[in-house]
Amino acid sequence: MRHEAGGAGSASWALAAERARPYTEQEAAAFFRLHHGLWRALPRHRDELAEMLALARPLMPPRMQPTRIDRPHPSLWSLPVTLQGAAYEASNSFRRAA
């Protein structure tokens, strides 16, 4: 279909806007059903299917987004480990590698 009034510029803008438009709940459910069916039917193409899913995820409705894992709070970070006895020296491994 040609858009006479706006020319190629408005057509490319419309295409870009549609690509960035969030999925509706129904569209997301249909995408996941189709993706799951293709995943089972086309095991050789799972890398490409995983890429497609990664591109679609940010456009999914919030409740269909993967659970985000927050960074640990500084008070929960582990303490540094101290070595007992003979300490490992990085310079020794560099000398051996050279």
Side-chain angles (χ1 to χ4, degrees), residues 8 13 21 30 33 37 40 42 45 58 70 78 80 87 89 94-95 97:
W13 178 87
R21 181 184 61 81
R33 280 191 306 273
R40 283 189 327 226
L42 303 170
H45 297 279
D70 291 331
S78 61
E89 292 184 30
F94 291 137
R95 279 195 297 264

Side-chain angles (χ1 to χ4, degrees), residues 14-32:
L15 181 59
E18 183 62 19
R19 285 182 176 162
R21 181 184 61 81
Y23 284 71
T24 65
E25 296 266 338
Q26 295 80 16
E27 289 170 333
F31 175 87
F32 283 126

Side-chain angles (χ1 to χ4, degrees), residues 32-91:
F32 283 126
R33 280 191 306 273
L34 179 60
H35 185 271
H36 182 69
L38 291 171
W39 187 268
R40 283 189 327 226
L42 303 170
R44 291 183 178 175
H45 297 279
R46 287 186 175 166
D47 288 342
E48 292 95 333
L49 290 166
E51 290 175 19
M52 288 178 208
L53 182 60
L55 290 171
R57 282 275 187 204
L59 300 173
M60 294 296 167
R63 72 174 195 85
M64 294 182 169
Q65 291 282 339
T67 306
R68 295 192 185 264
I69 300 174
D70 291 331
R71 291 186 60 176
H73 191 273
S75 65
L76 301 176
W77 292 347
S78 61
L79 297 174
V81 176
T82 57
L83 297 174
Q84 301 286 330
Y88 172 78
E89 292 184 30
S91 62

